[in-house]
Amino acid sequence: KPEPYDKVEETLSHEYKKSLHEVFSHFNKNPIASASISQVYEAKLKNGDRVAVKVLRPGVREKFEKDVDIMFYLAGLIEKYIPTSKRYSPTNIVLEFAKWTIKEIDFRNEAKNARRFKRNFQNSKIVYIPRVYDEFTTKKVLVEEFIDGIEMHDYFKSKRKKQEVIKIINRGLDAALTQVFVNGF
């Protein structure tokens, strides 16, 4: 369920240390996407560029830290009372999860990864990575070039030719394998 717009505006104003009107010429108050840790909005920068603005939900970090504390507690109980579980090291699994997730809730890391992907695929004819606007990206806000598109599940539900769908799947697989085995990322 989307957060109320006033909370989002509060986060943006806090991150930018100025009003939204000083950064954006237009900001759609209705999110185009909403997930567990963030929401995405369509906006226009003062220079006219159409952008996607990803905003961290308020209180996500605090909720995450509480959840991780509970997970560590439960992992400790599992290791204590189920001796065979020690070979799987539940507390180390939680630790690894916590390390990765804490990186996920800092959008500067996502921006850094997007820039790396863009460099890695700069000569690709099948993969396009949107531009990151570093000057408007913070720990809680990620601003990228807006790309019109269709979600894959909607695309596959539409009446497309089987060869077209297979071509897209093959291109996606090729991109994923290139990402892992050629770029190592």
Side-chain angles (χ1 to χ4, degrees):
K1 186 175 172 184
E3 290 287 333
Y5 176 74
D6 61 324
K7 297 277 188 193
V8 172
E9 186 174 15
E10 189 178 303
T11 298
L12 289 164
S13 296
H14 180 264
E15 288 298 295
Y16 291 139
K17 312 283 188 260
K18 54 177 102 172
S19 78
L20 281 181
H21 303 294
E22 293 177 74
V23 179
F24 303 102
S25 62
H26 172 75
F27 195 95
N28 186 343
K29 295 180 180 184
N30 298 313
I32 56 173
S34 183
S36 59
I37 68 164
S38 63
Q39 294 175 185
V40 179
Y41 295 84
E42 182 181 351
K44 263 194 182 168
L45 294 172
K46 289 285 191 179
N47 68 5
D49 288 357
R50 189 172 169 212
V51 293
V53 182
K54 184 175 180 179
V55 183
L56 190 70
R57 287 178 178 270
V60 164
R61 186 180 191 96
E62 294 78 13
K63 288 176 190 171
F64 167 72
E65 288 170 355
K66 285 179 187 174
D67 288 349
V68 167
D69 286 345
I70 292 167
M71 291 166 68
F72 272 121
Y73 174 74
L74 293 173
L77 289 177
I78 290 169
E79 287 178 356
K80 182 176 180 180
Y81 293 107
I82 306 172
T84 56
S85 72
K86 286 184 183 174
R87 67 179 158 175
Y88 302 108
S89 189
T91 53
N92 281 338
I93 292 170
V94 172
L95 181 62
E96 192 67 24
F97 167 78
K99 283 183 198 175
W100 280 100
T101 306
I102 205 74
K103 288 179 183 177
E104 285 281 315
I105 58 178
D106 182 340
F107 291 154
R108 295 171 299 188
N109 289 318
E110 187 170 338
K112 181 179 83 178
N113 290 337
R115 285 189 304 275
R116 183 170 173 188
F117 275 114
K118 191 165 186 74
R119 278 191 313 275
N120 289 347
F121 285 100
Q122 66 188 353
N123 297 319
S124 174
K125 290 180 177 28
I126 62 167
V127 176
Y128 182 81
I129 309 297
R131 170 187 170 197
V132 173
Y133 288 81
D134 290 313
E135 63 272 35
F136 302 109
T137 295
T138 70
K139 190 174 188 172
K140 295 182 179 182
V141 181
L142 174 65
V143 178
E144 294 180 296
E145 171 186 8
F146 191 95
I147 304 294
D148 278 311
I150 180 171
E151 292 186 32
M152 291 303 289
H153 65 273
D154 290 336
Y155 185 83
F156 291 141
K157 280 185 204 172
S158 66
K159 297 184 189 305
R160 302 289 178 186
K161 292 182 180 168
K162 187 176 179 180
Q163 308 91 295
E164 200 176 326
V165 171
I166 290 170
K167 184 177 177 182
I168 289 172
I169 291 170
N170 284 331
R171 285 180 169 181
L173 179 60
D174 182 58
L177 293 173
T178 299
Q179 173 185 321
V180 174
F181 295 111
V182 176
N183 298 328
F185 184 62

